[in-house]
Amino acid sequence: MARAKYAALGAVAVAVIILVAAFLVPGASRPPGTAKPAPPFTVFTVDGEVISTNSSRGRVLLLDFSGIVCEPCRIVEIALRRLYAEYSDRVTFLSVFIGGYGSNDNASIRSFRQTSESEGRPIPWHLAPDPTGNESLQLKYSVPTLPRLFVINETGYATRDWSPPIGFTSATVERDLGAALESTLAGTGSPIDITAISIPALLVVAAFLSFFSPCSFPVLPAFMAYYLKEDAKGAKASNRVAAWRGFLSSLGIVTVYGIVFVVIAAIGVAAQGITKWLPPIIGVVLIVLAILSLLPFQYHFLTRPFIALKKGIAARFGGKWEAGLGTKLFAFGMGYGAAGFACVAPPFIGAVLNASALGSPEQAILGLGLYILIVVSLMVGITVALHVAGDRALQKVKAWSGAMK
């Protein structure tokens, strides 16, 4: 009876989440004749050209939202190169860069274009940073995660709103967008409505995508298997204890994006001049670490300061200290949050920067509060459901893990 009760509650929770997401996620098709034109915009490309919805009338526009440090965007870039070669005489291609790490800096985007490794040559289509404040395309087109693409027809109506499915490839992108371009050019593409959402709503969508984006979703089976393994040790915990464990895991995710929020909100738009140097520094560190890992040496001396620190902390508590289950789950939560960083962080940063540019920090704070509430609720719900389902959930995880990956 108890299990049935919790299963029912879980089903209701999932239904509510899907219902809320359906209202928040834009781009739903409308009956013919009722869709509104795509949100108007004007951007200045890195080459000084002006691209706008008005100047693009009479020509199909492919609008791509990208980021300099967005790895899934590189998959899209490969497909766009092929589509550009086929459709550039009839379609205007525009990539708008959002988020930090130099994505709002013309010089950084130009450098990125020149050093792009895809097919060994620079990106040939228009590139532009996202304007700030009320002119932000991220806000107008409700882009909570990357990559995201829109097809806009000759009369200014959107006919396709594309987000990547789990496990997508460049062939997936080329197939989906190629079909959308063909139907739009032929005049058979049905207009869809795009609803601009507020900064808090954008962060709410980002909260859902922290779990279900292509970057982070493959980590979910690992978390489920790990929790079930730990939950099976010792006496069976109560549902309240399971909920507490889920809360600790959620704090790990919240900590990752909380740090990002605090840093970006404090530095504001000026952060763009600092964060653009982080990727090359991190890249050099990773290359050095990779080389060191291949050499036949041991580097125990690097861990000795941390071991000494651990012993010092343990001494203060009167003995040997080992990380408990709560600490491990918190760390797993941080890993889960970090796994989705490439998909979620650029739009997350962009939303916070836009709030700063608009002089509306209260919108970003409200959005962060809603983000925390949703992340905590999702993780607690998943953890309690795992606790109730037990071994059955583990078998499901094993059966689904391949498809999830």
Side-chain angles (χ1 to χ4, degrees):
M1 182 66 69
R3 289 190 174 186
K5 176 182 177 181
Y6 283 106
L9 289 175
V12 171
V14 171
V16 170
I17 289 172
I18 293 174
L19 182 62
V20 172
F23 277 102
L24 288 175
V25 177
S29 296
R30 292 283 187 93
T34 63
K36 299 177 182 178
F41 68 82
T42 299
V43 297
F44 294 88
T45 72
V46 295
D47 299 311
E49 299 178 77
V50 179
I51 304 291
S52 68
T53 43
N54 287 333
S55 66
S56 299
R57 290 292 175 92
R59 188 176 172 89
V60 173
L61 172 66
L62 180 60
L63 176 60
D64 164 47
F65 286 91
S66 186
I68 288 179
V69 296
C70 169
E71 287 304 318
C73 298
R74 306 291 77 81
I75 299 175
V76 171
E77 180 188 325
I78 294 172
L80 289 185
R81 286 180 180 276
R82 298 171 188 156
L83 293 170
Y84 183 83
E86 183 175 353
Y87 294 101
S88 60
D89 59 331
R90 294 170 289 167
V91 177
T92 298
F93 286 67
L94 171 64
S95 289
V96 174
F97 287 76
I98 64 176
Y101 304 99
S103 292
N104 292 93
D105 183 305
N106 281 342
S108 297
I109 298 175
R110 279 195 293 266
S111 176
F112 170 79
R113 176 177 63 183
Q114 293 301 123
T115 58
S116 177
E117 298 178 359
S118 208
E119 297 195 13
R121 62 178 184 273
I123 298 172
W125 56 86
H126 300 293
L127 308 180
D130 186 31
T132 57
N134 288 321
E135 298 305 312
S136 168
L137 271 69
Q138 181 193 6
L139 296 183
K140 288 184 176 184
Y141 283 79
S142 305
V143 180
T145 187
L146 297 177
R148 185 80 170 273
L149 295 97
F150 297 87
V151 176
I152 301 174
N153 67 16
E154 298 95 330
T155 58
Y157 287 83
T159 58
R160 187 71 160 91
D161 176 357
W162 187 89
S163 297
I166 300 296
F168 81 103
T169 64
S170 61
T172 307
V173 183
E174 187 175 3
R175 179 198 65 207
D176 293 350
L177 292 178
L181 289 175
E182 286 292 344
S183 63
T184 302
L185 288 167
T188 58
S190 300
I192 61 174
D193 203 18
I194 299 172
T195 303
I197 60 176
S198 64
I199 290 173
L202 198 61
L203 292 176
V204 166
V205 178
F208 287 101
L209 294 173
S210 294
F211 281 85
F212 305 118
S213 73
C215 300
S216 57
F217 192 62
V219 183
L220 183 58
F223 171 78
M224 294 168 71
Y226 174 77
Y227 178 80
L228 287 172
K229 175 184 173 183
E230 294 296 325
D231 191 43
K233 295 179 179 178
K236 186 70 173 178
S238 66
N239 293 323
R240 181 175 296 181
V241 171
W244 173 248
R245 291 172 177 174
F247 176 74
L248 291 176
S249 300
S250 70
L251 289 184
I253 302 176
V254 169
T255 298
V256 171
Y257 290 96
I259 292 172
V260 174
F261 179 91
V262 171
V263 171
I264 297 302
I267 299 176
V269 179
Q272 299 167 16
I274 297 174
T275 56
K276 67 180 181 180
W277 299 107
L278 292 180
I281 293 173
I282 294 173
V284 170
V285 171
L286 291 175
I287 291 172
V288 171
L289 290 175
I291 293 173
L292 291 177
S293 68
L294 296 174
L295 299 177
F297 302 113
Q298 299 294 328
Y299 303 99
H300 297 307
F301 67 91
L302 294 174
T303 64
R304 287 169 188 160
F306 298 99
I307 294 174
L309 177 62
K310 177 182 175 181
K311 290 180 178 178
I313 294 174
R316 286 182 173 272
F317 287 93
K320 185 178 180 181
W321 177 80
E322 293 292 340
L325 178 58
T327 304
K328 293 176 181 177
L329 290 174
F330 175 82
F332 212 117
M334 292 192 69
Y336 199 111
F341 208 73
C343 291
V344 182
F348 187 94
I349 292 171
V352 177
L353 287 177
N354 277 312
S356 300
L358 287 169
S360 304
E362 70 280 356
Q363 290 193 39
I365 294 172
L366 173 60
L368 180 65
L370 294 171
Y371 177 93
I372 292 172
L373 179 62
I374 291 171
V375 168
V376 171
S377 299
L378 282 172
M379 185 57 87
V380 169
I382 290 172
T383 307
V384 173
L386 285 173
H387 176 76
V388 173
D391 292 337
R392 289 178 298 160
L394 183 57
Q395 296 303 320
K396 294 286 186 182
V397 170
K398 291 180 178 179
W400 296 340
S401 59
M404 288 181 176
K405 290 176 182 179

